[in-house]
Amino acid sequence: MRKPLVAGNWKMHGSRQAAKTLLESIKQGAVGISDIDIAVFPSFVHLQQAQELLAKTSITWGAQNLYVGESGAFTGEVSGPMLVDYGCQYVLIGHSERRHVFKEDLALVAAKLKSACDVKLKPVLCLGETLEQRKSDQTEQIIAEQLESAIDTVGIKSLQNMVLAYEPVWAIGTGLTATPEQAQAVHSYIRKLLAKQEVALANTMRILYGGSVKADNAAGLFAMPDIDGALVGGASLEAKSFLGICEAAVKEFKEGLLS
Ligand code: PEP
C-alpha cells in the first residue's frame, strides 16, 4: 500500500512571522500523525525557518522551484545544491503557475527535473491540463506529453525517487475541485502510462491530486484508489485546514489497511 503524502504549497505568501507561526502550528498539530507523510513548501526566504523549526520532526520541507545547474551567472535564481543546504528533501517541478505564468516549456521543466535528480532532491512533478484542453478532449494527450517529456529526459528509473501530482489548471486556486471521479480517471490513466514502461513503478508511484483541496472535500478524493494524497495551495496557509486534510488522509489510509 502506498503511504499518502499531504504537501502544502505556500506559494508567494506570508511574512517571516506568519511563516514561523504556521510552521509551529503545523508542527504541534502533526504530533502523533505517523501514518502519512507531511511536507511543506514555503518560499525560498522561509526555508531556513523550516529547517530550524522542523528539524527532528517527521515533517519534511521542500522548495517551490529551482533553476538548472549547480551555480552560475543566473541572477535571481536558486540551484538544487542551495536547496539541499537548507535541508530540502523535495522540490516542486512543473507547477502550473511555472508552466503558464512563467511560460516554462516542456524542455525547461525536464531540465529542472534533471537538475533536481542530480542532487537527489525528490521532485514533485506536476501535470495538468487547462480548461480549454479539457473541453477539447485533450486531457490525456497533454498529461502524456508532460509525463513522457520527463521520462525521456531523466529515464524511467529516476521516477522511483519522485512524486507525481495531477493538478488540473482549471482547479488551482479557483475553488473548482475536480470531482473524485474526474481526478481518479486521470490518476488511473497516469498509472497506466507508467505501467507500460514499468509495472512495479506504476504500483508504487505516489500520485497526489491538487486543485482546491480543502478539509471538507479531501475525504472523497482520498477514497479513490489511485489518489495517494494532495498538493494543497490555499488551504495549506492555515494550520487548521491543512491539518484537517492530513487527518482525512490518515482516516482513509487506516480504512484502506482494514479493507
Ligand atoms: C497548488 O498551488 O498546487 C494548488 C493546488 O493550489 P490550490 O489548492 O489553492 O488550488
Side-chain angles (χ1 to χ4, degrees), residues 123-144:
V124 177
L125 175 65
C126 305
L127 314 168
E129 82 288 1
T130 64
L131 189 56
E132 294 67 41
Q133 289 162 341
R134 173 162 281 262
K135 282 186 179 156
S136 55
D137 224 8
Q138 286 180 288
T139 300
E140 292 191 350
Q141 181 198 323
I142 296 297
I143 298 291

Side-chain angles (χ1 to χ4, degrees), residues 171-238:
I172 298 181
T174 58
L176 286 177
T177 321
T179 63
E181 293 73 20
Q182 280 174 321
Q184 166 58 26
V186 180
H187 282 232
S188 143
Y189 174 67
I190 294 171
R191 220 176 282 290
K192 279 193 198 117
L193 288 177
L194 294 173
K196 276 192 201 159
Q197 306 226 16
E198 213 178 294
V199 174
L201 174 75
N203 290 334
T204 52
M205 174 62 80
R206 290 194 286 194
I207 309 175
L208 314 184
Y209 169 76
S212 300
V213 177
K214 311 251 173 319
D216 60 7
N217 62 20
L221 290 158
F222 295 156
M224 293 290 134
D226 289 299
I227 299 183
D228 307 312
L231 180 54
V232 186
S236 71
L237 294 171
E238 208 207 312

